[in-house]
Amino acid sequence: MNKNIQLSLLILLTCFFTSIVSAEANTTCFKCHKKANFSGKVVHSPVAENKCSSCHNPHVARYKNLLSSEVSELCYQCHQDKIESFSKGIVHKPVKKGECLSCHAPHASSNKGLLNESAPGENCFKCHKTLLKKYDYTHQPYEKGDCGACHRAHQSERAQLLNDEPDKLCSKCHQENILQQKHQGFPGRLRVCLSCHNPHGSERKNLIRNVLHAPYKEGCSDCHEKGPVKTDKCLECHEEIMDQLLSAHNHLTDKAVNSCVKCHSPHAADSNSMLKNRQNQICRSCHANTFAGYDNTLHSHPDTGSCSDCHALHGSNNMAMLKGNGIEVCDSCHKTQGQFTHPVGGTVLDPRTGQQVTCVSCHYPHGTNFKFNLKLSGGKDLCIQCHKSY
Amino acid sequence: MRKTHLTIIILSLFILVSGCFTSALAKDPWQWQFSLRGDQPNDDKTKPMLLPGNIFVDQELERYYVADAGNNRLLSFKREGIYLNAFSASNKLKTPTDIVREKDGLMWVIEKGRNSLTEIDLKEKKIENHSLQYRGVSVFPDRLFIDGENTYLLDKSSGDIILFDRKLKGIKHYGCPECTSGFIDFTVKSGNIWALARTEKAVYKFNTDGPQSEKIQLKGSLAFPFALEIGPAGLLYILDRHNGTIAVFDQTGSFKYNFLSKGHGRGELYYPEDLLFDPWGRLCVVDSGNGRVEIFSR
């Protein structure tokens, strides 16, 4: 047979079977499933093309809703260009977990990008429940639900999935010369806007954060004399912190004229601790690697959201700036394990090091790839580290 | 036929032997020699080290000195690793984290618990605490190096290395204006100061006479660089605290190899604190979390 005829026949047959499959979806699937439920302003292209079987198996499947694979695997089958970019930098938790459907509708939606919720921002508020939807004074983009004005939805190189450096984000809308006029007396060029302003909203005008540092309320001169305000100045009032700084491991952060302001705002903040941000976000800004380990292990400690549950944030004479030794810290929550467990503490010594056996002799508190955050497999490998004769 | 079989057997044996040889070569070049430990077998009066901070070697006396911060004492060991003595200055030391012993027996100790550079005159049995200031600001001594008349201190607060004279008057400082964090460790070798910037994952080399510095960007995966040492061949040894490894770089910053791993066994490190080459070519690693100093040689 002539080659051209063969090719034409092949094309014809392909078209024929494709039309059968499409027609099948059109007729068979929608015999039971109302087509209206799969229509909207934006329709996912496989649905529009009646390719139900690109995601679903019509007969039997290992996954819920007769899906032929995990949700994210199905999405990445087509959206292959996203695989690499969605794994770079800080990745939004649902993306990391492959929970594409927590924000996107798989079939159709009335919103751009097949987003689930029609009201802007609602997708975000579904998970970020602690955020207030409205403040006495609310930042305009936040009020509109335009979270994307500052944050990225999937991943970012910056903490809190920001689009850009915070100051640069502010200057996109707020003209610098106008701001400079409003901040007369500010030493030098305006910067670190978030040190005083809450980017979402506040009970105070101009989005000034709710809690004011006592000396700031009184005026500037209490702290600002000549030149920059140094650590010593803070310690004049906060004497109790000095005791914690006089430790083997302290958090006097290097390269700061004033170590305190690396974490604390000297003027205004959202809480009495005067932290510049949520505690774990501040810690993450320097200890990104620790958080990556925490996020990327199979078995990790439940996120308490507060590093200070275990760590003394200014300084301590314990390893890793823990609040106590490797028993005291764990025991404060895990009461039962403190009473009934492998012998720990006192004269129970680790033969590998001669140090007291503590919880962290066997567990790595942030997380590991072994059950119960064990450092090695609890089956055997861990035990024979010390119990050689077994 | 027989010839073919023989060739196959010889070839297999060759592959097997060469395989063993290359795998032996691939092992760590550094081999564990011994540990310096505070607790001694059959001696109830001794106790394990707790959060050892730094190690100093007296070449003339052939002794190691270790600052045992958690037990408020200083320990001394012979060159062979044999425990000699514990010294607490009649329980007056408070969180000693670094030590330098001078030829005349004068000891300088960083006492973090007092924020003091403490002078201990063993002959005169005198202890003097020094609270230091530089340009009107309190200094928080973190690491210490004494080179003749010059005392170099890493200030934890500013992250700068500050040079003091014998009267402990601040002369000048070596800093890194471009760094988001300051230095976390330094050493002085052959008229140069080598300083490690943790956040930048870079080493800065200063000439002690001038302000100019050279930046060596470390090209390799480092989780939490914490201490540095310059090897006899000029290679940079970087202690990666969170990974429990030591990474080796050349002076262009190119990664050469790394060794050791995180854990509690022999050749494993847990929250290590400091690195030092002793005069006998051995690498001393202050393994703080495991309460010991590990000595390795090639």
Side-chain angles (χ1 to χ4, degrees), chain A residues 232 248 253 255 317 355 375, chain B residues 49 51 112 138 158 181-182 264:
Chain A
D232 293 3
T253 49
K255 184 63 198 164
N317 283 328
Q355 302 280 300
K375 288 180 175 174
Chain B
M49 288 186 206
L51 293 180
K112 281 207 177 163
S138 297
S158 66
S181 293
H264 307 284

Side-chain angles (χ1 to χ4, degrees), chain B residues 14-272:
Chain B
F14 175 74
I15 292 167
L16 195 72
V17 170
S18 61
C20 291
F21 183 66
T22 44
S23 66
L25 275 182
K27 273 190 173 180
D28 283 351
W30 291 92
Q31 302 299 314
W32 178 86
Q33 296 302 307
F34 53 86
S35 298
L36 306 180
R37 282 172 59 154
D39 53 330
Q40 298 304 306
N42 308 318
D43 187 350
D44 292 343
K45 286 179 187 167
T46 60
K47 58 181 172 181
M49 288 186 206
L50 197 60
L51 293 180
N54 276 283
I55 184 168
F56 175 78
V57 185
D58 188 321
Q59 187 173 1
E60 218 164 80
L61 290 176
E62 298 194 345
R63 282 182 191 177
Y64 294 110
Y65 294 90
V66 180
D68 184 7
N71 288 313
N72 298 315
R73 60 182 185 166
L74 307 169
L75 302 177
S76 56
F77 299 84
K78 280 187 184 174
R79 174 181 168 174
E80 301 79 21
I82 299 163
Y83 174 85
L84 281 171
N85 205 357
F87 173 74
S88 67
S90 308
N91 297 322
K92 282 181 185 159
L93 292 177
K94 209 171 171 191
T95 326
T97 57
D98 204 353
I99 173 176
V100 169
R101 190 182 193 279
E102 294 198 276
K103 281 182 182 171
D104 52 5
L106 197 66
M107 290 209 293
W108 295 92
V109 176
I110 290 179
E111 279 189 274
K112 281 207 177 163
R114 286 191 186 14
N115 194 30
S116 153
L117 177 64
T118 302
E119 186 180 357
I120 303 174
D121 191 332
L122 292 172
K123 284 180 196 161
E124 301 290 327
K125 295 190 175 174
K126 266 175 61 182
I127 297 179
E128 195 176 345
N129 299 116
H130 300 279
S131 295
L132 303 178
Q133 294 243 325
Y134 180 66
R135 295 183 175 174
V137 181
S138 297
V139 172
F140 288 80
D142 193 44
R143 307 243 180 181
L144 170 68
F145 193 97
I146 297 179
D147 183 16
E149 293 297 302
N150 298 326
T151 298
Y152 298 92
L153 270 174
L154 176 63
D155 175 21
K156 183 85 165 81
S157 181
S158 66
D160 291 340
I161 299 153
I162 304 172
L163 170 63
F164 290 88
D165 64 12
R166 292 302 289 189
K167 290 177 182 167
L168 297 180
K169 188 183 164 207
I171 308 283
K172 62 175 174 178
H173 71 280
Y174 304 86
C176 175
E178 70 190 55
C179 296
T180 47
S181 293
F183 298 130
I184 194 151
D185 190 26
F186 77 101
T187 187
V188 182
K189 285 266 158 84
S190 324
N192 291 312
I193 298 170
W194 303 77
L196 176 65
R198 185 180 65 77
T199 316
E200 280 68 27
K201 294 177 182 166
V203 172
Y204 288 76
K205 182 182 169 188
F206 299 89
N207 187 307
T208 47
D209 299 329
Q212 290 90 355
S213 72
E214 178 191 330
K215 181 182 177 183
I216 303 166
Q217 187 64 52
L218 302 171
K219 302 168 198 105
S221 171
L222 288 166
F224 201 85
F226 200 74
L228 97 158
E229 176 60 313
I230 310 300
L235 293 175
L236 312 178
Y237 288 72
I238 308 293
L239 183 65
D240 191 343
R241 190 172 214 216
H242 289 184
N243 280 340
T245 58
I246 295 168
V248 184
F249 298 84
D250 67 16
Q251 289 201 12
T252 66
S254 295
F255 175 76
K256 306 295 281 183
Y257 66 97
N258 64 8
F259 58 103
L260 306 183
S261 57
K262 189 173 183 172
H264 307 284
R266 184 169 291 174
E268 293 178 330
L269 307 173
Y270 202 63
Y271 288 92

